[in-house]
Amino acid sequence: MLDLVIIGAGPIGLACGIAAKQANLEFTILERGTLVNALYHYPTNMTFFSTSEKIEIGGVPFVSHLPRPTRQEALEYYRRVAKKWNLPLRLYEEVQGLKGEFPAYTVASSKGTYQTKGVIIATGFYDLPNMMGVPGEDLPKVKHFYDDPHPYIGQQVLVVGAANSAIDAALETWRKGAEVTLVVRGSEISPRVKYWIRPDIENRIKEGSITAYFESEVEQIDPETVTIRTPEGSKVLPNHFVLAMTGYHPNFEWLGQLGVACSTDEAMIPERDENTFETRRQGVYLAGTVCGGKQTSKWYIENSIWHAERVVKHFAAQLSA
């Protein structure tokens, strides 16, 4: 029997694995996709908000060309971390269920079952996009995940959102030759936008290179047009692609299947002890950005790395009690 099954091989899942190894626990890490799967699916040209040293784990130096690393540099870094610590990774293996009670759980996955004394859920929030809920959202031209600007050369692109992912997509696609329109529900660009990016988008809007509609929303999407509701009324715009950068949220249904309850308010924060990160199920913990529920800006790599050591320390103490 294993001591721990860690679900999720993102930076926090890897940090949990390192902490478990330092505590001499027997464990494995299950991941439904590839190593640091969410980072892999980030936009190709993304730059982190955090500096490289603040997202280091396991004592492995993170050296980047600039203070803030790129997605590509992060992928290389976490590959080196996994190799240095020889972490027992089981990639492309999705967890489907959890039965039992402490200290005898059975974790069912797409490839088998595992007997374990405890479980750490470190799956992040990049699983599911926040849907707009409008007619036509299921059309092929609507993208909820943005990767690279190249496909949008010479195209009429509507970007929905006001935070970093939307602003990055708007600027990148415009610079590669797209005709970009930005639709923002609020009255301004999000204050969370990277401070070195904000002047860029504001200047592009001011000069008219990117058209922006504030206090506006998408009403309907059709094959060759998109209808938006603005303070001046509805407008129908010619359109080739809609990039709906409306945010993401954890898989709450899946969490519920594992017995993890969430708050009943709009935030839907997974319930856990604020100090130990243990859920209502003894020996089952949360770690990392999944802890924020729909409040996806509350936790990120830099400020949740310490969850790993806290969780493993508490779990190890229960095993030895």
Side-chain angles (χ1 to χ4, degrees):
M1 173 180 284
L2 295 168
D3 293 315
L4 270 175
V5 166
I6 299 167
I7 307 174
I12 308 306
L14 298 181
C16 289
I18 293 168
K21 200 154 195 178
Q22 291 173 322
N24 296 315
L25 300 178
E26 293 292 327
F27 69 98
T28 193
I29 302 175
L30 304 181
E31 166 58 56
R32 64 193 287 266
T34 188
L35 180 70
V36 289
N37 191 65
L39 297 187
Y40 175 72
H41 286 96
Y42 280 179
T44 303
N45 300 321
M46 190 208 78
T47 299
F48 281 77
F49 188 87
S50 299
T51 54
S52 55
E53 71 273 9
K54 290 185 177 180
I55 57 175
E56 290 178 353
I57 58 175
V60 180
F62 188 168
V63 179
S64 57
H65 287 91
L66 297 173
R68 292 173 176 81
T70 65
R71 164 189 171 274
Q72 195 64 30
E73 289 173 326
L75 293 177
E76 172 62 28
Y77 172 71
Y78 291 114
R79 286 196 296 267
R80 289 195 294 110
V81 168
K83 183 176 181 180
K84 175 179 174 56
W85 282 93
N86 193 27
L87 296 175
L89 299 169
R90 296 182 179 273
L91 305 177
Y92 301 102
E93 186 165 352
E94 186 171 6
V95 171
Q96 299 172 331
L98 175 64
K99 295 182 179 180
E101 59 184 29
F102 179 78
Y105 286 107
T106 299
V107 175
S109 79
S110 56
K111 296 183 180 180
T113 58
Y114 300 85
Q115 306 302 314
T116 182
K117 298 172 185 175
V119 175
I120 301 175
I121 300 169
T123 48
F125 63 80
Y126 204 57
D127 288 329
L128 301 171
N130 297 327
M131 305 298 285
M132 295 181 291
V134 300
E137 190 169 9
D138 58 346
L139 288 172
K141 73 173 189 175
V142 180
K143 314 293 181 182
H144 288 93
F145 293 88
Y146 166 74
D147 51 5
D148 189 88
H150 182 82
Y152 307 106
I153 294 170
Q155 304 297 292
Q156 293 165 317
V157 177
L158 186 84
V159 179
V160 184
N164 282 299
S165 57
I167 302 310
D168 285 345
L171 288 170
E172 283 195 4
T173 53
W174 171 73
R175 285 200 161 89
K176 293 298 183 290
E179 180 184 326
V180 177
T181 300
L182 184 65
V183 173
V184 177
R185 179 180 294 178
S187 60
E188 62 177 358
I189 300 300
S190 170
R192 299 198 307 272
V193 169
K194 300 164 187 171
Y195 66 85
W196 64 93
I197 297 294
R198 189 181 184 92
D200 192 359
I201 186 64
E202 290 176 340
N203 288 334
R204 301 295 77 73
I205 293 171
K206 184 177 180 180
E207 71 187 15
S209 297
I210 293 176
T211 302
Y213 291 94
F214 292 96
E215 297 181 339
S216 301
E217 296 184 59
V218 174
E219 284 187 329
Q220 180 171 323
I221 303 169
D222 294 296
E224 296 184 4
T225 63
V226 60
T227 304
I228 61 174
R229 181 172 62 252
T230 78
E232 290 76 37
S234 293
K235 295 182 181 291
V236 179
L237 307 176
N239 173 259
H240 296 111
F241 289 99
V242 174
L243 302 181
M245 303 290 100
T246 49
Y248 308 92
H249 62 269
N251 190 332
F252 296 114
E253 181 180 355
W254 177 81
L255 287 172
Q257 291 171 357
L258 299 190
V260 178
C262 296
S263 64
T264 57
D265 57 13
E266 185 178 347
M268 295 187 69
I269 296 175
E271 295 181 1
R272 58 173 174 81
D273 185 281
E274 291 292 328
N275 294 313
T276 67
F277 295 83
E278 190 173 34
T279 68
R280 292 180 180 179
R281 304 184 77 174
Q282 185 179 3
V284 178
Y285 297 81
L286 300 172
T289 57
V290 69
C291 295
K294 287 188 175 181
Q295 295 180 340
T296 54
S297 62
K298 181 176 182 179
W299 297 108
Y300 37 94
I301 300 172
E302 176 184 331
N303 76 347
S304 64
I305 289 174
W306 61 273
H307 292 185
E309 185 176 347
R310 175 74 60 85
V311 166
V312 171
K313 183 179 179 179
H314 185 266
F315 177 70
Q318 291 203 76
L319 287 185
S320 60

